[in-house]
Each structure stands twice: as structure tokens, then as C-alpha cells.
Amino acid sequence: MSQHDLTIKAPEEVKSYPATIKVYTRTGDKGTSSLFSGERRAKDDAVFDALGNTDELSSMLGLAIAYLQSTPADSLIPRLEAIQCLLQDVGSNVATPLSTEKQASKVRRTRFDPDGYHCTRLEQWIDELSEGLPVHRSFILPSGGLAASTLHVARTICRRAERSLIPLKDEVDRETLMFVNRLSDFLFAAARWVAMTQGVPERIYVHQMGRSTEFDK
């Protein structure tokens, strides 16, 4: 097993904490929240927009996983769970701006994918999932069953997450942007693979005048 590989643990394998720890803190009641660096910013700051998008993406992947359970395509689940964990790491990187000079140790701790391993692995996964997929010369509509369609929704959230990272490009690691960009491609391939594996037809775009539209026309 590579040092980069993630092992997803069941809740009973993880250290539990007393029930007396409260979910709410009241520290955000005035419309600000804290970064990992300790800096407080308004909740409508670009950082929290990006963090909200990656959180939403992880939640949608959780729904996709639920739809994949006990289906012919459930072998995809470990990869989606690994991606959920990596999105937490993306969030840590976003929540620790590179300009945080007084918190250099935290910047080092939240460095994301410095050797590009996770981005390269996504590309390998994309190539694997793409093998044997039906070739369509027209646009593919989000379709292919519950799990596949949920992955298409996750793909669009991923694109939004990527867009929300652009204003922060000087404050996050370059590999963070690369990973999120590649992730949307993975989710497209994954959605198509799930539809094929589960035997659910994909829907193809047809022009309003009734003709199919091919990319080379």
C-alpha cells in the first residue's frame, strides 16, 4: 500500500468524544467565522464560499455512495470515499491562506498534494473508467439512473467549487486547483461508467428542431 493510500475507517474504529462537546459555539452569531489560521472573516468571504462548495460536493458524493450500495457498480464506493477525505484536505488548504506568515507551521501542515500524486491518480482512474464506454458524438445529458445522475450533479457542484477557488488562486496551493479541475472530469467518467455497469441507458442531446447534433457538424 502506498503512503498516499487512504483507509476509510468505520465510526467504531475512530476515537469517540464525550457527548458533552456541543455542536454550536455561538462564535459566528455576528456573521464572522474563523479560518484554521485563526483569522476571522465575514461569512460571505470568498474563502467560505469555496469551503461551502467543497462541503456540498462531499455531501453529494455521500448521496451517490448511498445509491451505489449493493449495486453492480459498488466497486466505485472506495474511490468516492477517498475523494471525500481528500476534499477535507482541500478545505484545510483553503482555510489556511498561504499569506498566513505568522502561522507557517499550519501552512505546512495543510499543504495539499505537493508531489501531484492525487491528481495523477485521478487521471489513472479516469482512464480505467473510460475503457469500454460507449462512444457518443453528441452531448450526453445527465442521466443513467439514480447513482449516475447524482454523480452528474456532483460534477456540476465540482465545477462551481473550481470557479469559487479562482479568486483564491494566490492563497491556495496550485495542486488544489489542479485536483478540483481534474475531479470534475473523473466524476463525468464515473457517471458514465456507473450507467454502463448498471445497464441504464444514457440520454443524448437532440436539437429542438429534431436533429441530433454531432460535435463535428
Side-chain angles (χ1 to χ4, degrees):
M1 178 180 291
S2 165
Q3 62 175 337
H4 296 284
D5 292 336
L6 301 173
T7 301
I8 309 302
K9 296 183 178 181
E12 61 270 16
E13 299 179 274
V14 181
K15 181 181 178 181
S16 60
Y17 293 90
T20 52
I21 294 180
K22 296 182 178 181
V23 174
Y24 59 89
T25 64
R26 299 193 179 103
T27 58
D29 289 351
K30 294 183 179 180
T32 65
S33 191
S34 179
L35 302 181
F36 183 57
S37 63
E39 177 188 358
R40 295 197 69 83
R41 295 189 185 183
K43 290 187 177 182
D44 61 356
D45 187 89
V47 167
F48 296 117
D49 185 34
L51 289 173
N53 287 328
T54 56
D55 184 28
E56 184 181 349
L57 172 55
S58 183
S59 298
M60 189 57 65
L61 292 179
L63 182 60
I65 289 170
Y67 285 138
L68 285 168
Q69 295 284 355
S70 302
T71 73
D74 60 7
S75 61
L76 186 66
I77 291 176
R79 293 182 177 183
L80 297 181
E81 290 178 334
I83 289 169
Q84 285 183 302
C85 290
L86 289 170
L87 286 172
Q88 291 295 120
D89 296 334
V90 165
S92 296
N93 185 246
V94 173
T96 315
L98 295 178
S99 60
T100 310
E101 298 178 358
K102 296 181 180 180
Q103 298 287 340
S105 62
K106 289 187 176 181
V107 172
R108 288 193 297 271
R109 283 175 58 190
T110 55
R111 183 84 167 85
F112 182 78
D113 198 21
D115 60 3
Y117 172 84
H118 296 303
C119 189
T120 299
R121 184 171 62 165
L122 276 181
E123 293 174 350
Q124 294 171 345
W125 288 354
I126 292 169
D127 292 341
E128 291 174 13
L129 293 174
S130 298
E131 290 182 7
L133 287 179
V135 177
H136 293 298
R137 302 190 67 85
S138 298
F139 290 105
I140 298 168
L141 300 177
S143 56
L146 279 174
S149 296
T150 303
L151 287 169
H152 276 297
V153 176
R155 171 181 57 80
T156 65
I157 297 172
C158 187
R159 284 299 192 196
R160 170 157 39 90
E162 181 186 7
R163 292 193 298 273
S164 66
L165 285 171
I166 299 304
L168 305 171
K169 60 183 176 62
D170 294 328
E171 294 283 11
V172 301
D173 290 328
R174 173 174 172 268
E175 292 80 8
T176 294
L177 291 166
M178 291 172 58
F179 177 81
V180 176
N181 180 36
R182 207 71 79 252
L183 180 54
S184 61
D185 296 328
F186 167 80
L187 293 171
F188 178 74
R192 296 208 61 211
W193 179 85
V194 167
M196 180 186 71
T197 303
Q198 294 184 339
V200 182
E202 296 175 299
R203 301 302 177 189
I204 304 302
Y205 163 70
V206 176
H207 190 272
Q208 60 182 325
M209 299 302 291
R211 63 179 183 273
S212 61
T213 301
E214 297 185 357
F215 294 134
D216 59 350
K217 284 188 176 181

